[in-house]
Amino acid sequence: MRHTMRSLTAVACIALCLVLAIIPGASGIGGDEGWIRVDCNVNGASVYLDGEYKGETAGGSLTIPVYTTGTPHQSVTVEKSGYTSYTGAVTMPAADETTTVYATLNPIVTPTPVSYGSISVSSQPSGAEIYFNGDYRGLAPLVISDVWPGSYTIRAEKSGYQTYSTTARVSSGIMTSVYCPLTKHETSGALYVLSTPSNSNVYLDSAYQGSTPITLNNLASGSHILEIDHAGYYDWKSSVSVPAGGTRTVDATLNPMPASTTGWIYVSSSPGGASVTLDGSPKGETPSSGSLKLNNIATGSHTVTLTRPGYQPYSATTSVSPNTVTEVSAILQPATTPSGTGGLTVTSTPPGANVFLDNTFMGISPLTLSSVATGDHVVSLRLDGYQEYSVTTPVNAGAVSTVSAALTTITPAPTPRSAMLPAAGLLALFLVALVVIRRKP
């Protein structure tokens, strides 16, 4: 029995040696041990070595034992829901040593959606003019919608009352209420406004009040802006103080504008490109669209003349008033065809032929000739590879004659028979000589 146990033990040792020899790296398992320590700012974070789960951090770290003789680890990953993940390289420790990896996880911040708010504005008394950051929005009570969260200035104004201003804080999705209690001006006064010339327009704080002479009653005491204007005069504008419980007289003298002695003439034509003269002096050409602007033209009567080749001259007398634009619009008429001439249109098939009129080269077909003397003319067309075409055509005064030519190709001439005989004779003599040579012994 003891002999049998020894035999079994020996067999087991041999088998273990064979396994260690056959399995690569098996000799490293259970070898020297080291540790990888993962320090993390978050507890409960999962730690993975080369994708293999190793545990969770507690107390700020997790220590992982590793075999220094085994396959080296390459990377460590630390992650936790609600935080950004960390992945980094790993340095393998030596036997009985520890390497440390520092992993910092940052919380994932989910932005809070921001929505508009609104402001409800009321005033006492109601009907005050409401300004939102200086912009007029209407009369109280009113609601100002679609306001981005933040702080804004609300101002309320009403005639006879002191201006009220406050700051409103708007939050997302919330309506902010603003109440504007207005305080009445303790006293009021009046203005009596005169002007030279009279019947001038009067504006107080930019609001039209009427024409001079005029009395403005029930005005809030204090400073106001008074403006007076009249056609042909410079505006009068000044700050005036309204006395409490009294009336102030304002007598404004307006300064006349200097009288103008010039005006403008705008000249246009159809078609454009016409030369323009004013009282015989050249001024330029009319554009294809719009007008030629003549500036600083003395008041009074002027003669405007337009000329363009191929069109009849145009002339008009116009009057210029001070500071006034006078328009001259000319529709130009084509010039009449001169007596004793007409037109001639020449086409050919194919096109591109040289066109001669009475043996004088005129151009390439298709071609239109104008101002051709009346009477009969000889029209010739010449094109390489085609027979010359010639025809006599009449030209009538004020009319257009037409010549349409279908050109004929030139056929190559056949080779004359007389030219072929010498060649045939020579060929016959050559054949006879060949036969004689072959018969000789």
Side-chain angles (χ1 to χ4, degrees), residues 332-356:
L332 304 181
Q333 301 297 327
T336 305
T337 303
S339 176
T341 63
L344 178 63
T345 298
V346 182
T347 61
S348 68
T349 304
N354 295 321
V355 178
F356 295 83

Side-chain angles (χ1 to χ4, degrees), residues 80 83 107 182 306 318 338 350 352 359 366 394 399 403 412 418 433:
K80 184 177 181 179
Y83 292 82
L182 302 181
L306 292 87
T318 185
N359 290 324
V403 173
S418 60

Side-chain angles (χ1 to χ4, degrees), residues 57-102:
T57 57
S61 67
L62 173 67
T63 301
I64 306 168
V66 295
Y67 290 108
T68 60
T69 56
T71 302
H73 293 284
Q74 301 296 322
S75 65
V76 61
T77 299
V78 184
E79 58 185 31
K80 184 177 181 179
S81 178
Y83 292 82
T84 58
S85 298
Y86 168 87
T87 298
V90 173
T91 301
M92 288 295 293
D96 297 324
E97 290 186 355
T98 299
T99 59
T100 303
V101 176
Y102 298 93

Side-chain angles (χ1 to χ4, degrees), residues 27 121 146 167 186 190 218 226 248 262 277 308 342 387 433 441:
S27 60
V121 185
D146 298 332
T167 299
E186 294 182 358
N218 299 319
L226 180 64
R248 178 178 178 178
T262 61
T277 60
R308 191 179 193 277
Q387 298 179 18

Side-chain angles (χ1 to χ4, degrees), residues 56-398:
E56 294 183 352
T57 57
S61 67
L62 173 67
T63 301
I64 306 168
V66 295
Y67 290 108
T68 60
T69 56
T71 302
H73 293 284
Q74 301 296 322
S75 65
V76 61
T77 299
V78 184
E79 58 185 31
K80 184 177 181 179
S81 178
Y83 292 82
T84 58
S85 298
Y86 168 87
T87 298
V90 173
T91 301
M92 288 295 293
D96 297 324
E97 290 186 355
T98 299
T99 59
T100 303
V101 176
Y102 298 93
T104 300
L105 304 186
N106 296 315
I108 298 174
V109 179
T110 302
T112 302
V114 178
S115 60
Y116 291 112
S118 58
I119 303 176
S120 174
V121 185
S122 60
S123 67
Q124 178 58 43
S126 62
E129 298 175 347
I130 303 302
Y131 294 84
F132 174 79
N133 270 8
D135 296 328
Y136 175 74
R137 289 302 183 92
L139 301 178
L142 82 162
V143 174
I144 304 173
S145 303
D146 298 332
V147 180
W148 193 256
S151 295
Y152 301 90
T153 299
I154 302 297
R155 187 176 79 249
E157 296 181 358
K158 189 175 177 65
S159 178
Y161 293 82
Q162 298 179 18
T163 299
Y164 177 87
S165 182
T166 186
T167 299
R169 177 71 183 175
V170 177
S171 301
S172 176
I174 297 176
M175 176 179 287
T176 301
S177 296
V178 175
Y179 174 69
C180 303
L182 302 181
T183 302
K184 232 182 178 184
H185 288 293
E186 294 182 358
T187 56
S188 61
L191 287 177
Y192 178 55
V193 184
L194 301 168
S195 70
T196 303
S198 60
N199 200 33
S200 299
N201 297 321
V202 177
Y203 298 85
L204 185 68
D205 298 329
S206 300
Y208 176 72
Q209 303 295 328
S211 57
T212 57
I214 188 174
T215 299
L216 306 179
N217 296 308
N218 299 319
L219 301 180
S221 60
S223 180
H224 296 268
I225 300 298
L226 180 64
E227 183 177 356
I228 304 172
D229 62 42
H230 193 100
Y233 291 81
Y234 290 110
D235 294 348
W236 186 95
K237 188 174 184 179
S238 178
S239 174
V240 295
S241 180
V242 175
T247 300
R248 178 178 178 178
T249 299
V250 177
D251 190 353
T253 300
L254 281 63
N255 296 318
M257 294 181 179
S260 175
T261 59
T262 61
W264 300 267
I265 299 178
Y266 286 6
V267 185
S268 61
S269 69
S270 176
S275 298
V276 178
T277 60
L278 179 69
D279 300 328
S281 299
K283 295 298 181 180
E285 289 188 355
T286 57
S288 57
S289 62
S291 302
L292 174 66
K293 300 176 182 179
L294 307 182
N295 301 319
N296 299 321
I297 307 302
T299 56
S301 180
H302 297 273
T303 299
V304 178
T305 303
L306 292 87
T307 58
R308 191 179 193 277
Y311 292 85
Q312 299 179 20
Y314 176 93
S315 183
T317 300
T318 185
S319 180
V320 176
S321 300
N323 293 322
T324 303
V325 173
T326 301
E327 296 187 1
V328 175
S329 299
I331 300 178
L332 304 181
Q333 301 297 327
T336 305
T337 303
S339 176
T341 63
L344 178 63
T345 298
V346 182
T347 61
S348 68
T349 304
N354 295 321
V355 178
F356 295 83
L357 182 66
D358 300 327
N359 290 324
T360 301
F361 176 73
M362 305 303 293
I364 305 296
S365 65
L367 177 67
T368 298
L369 303 175
S370 59
S371 300
V372 179
T374 57
D376 292 338
H377 296 272
V378 177
V379 178
S380 302
L381 292 93
R382 302 170 189 171
L383 181 63
D384 290 342
Y386 293 84
Q387 298 179 18
E388 180 178 342
Y389 178 92
S390 183
V391 68
T392 299
T393 184
V395 174
N396 298 317

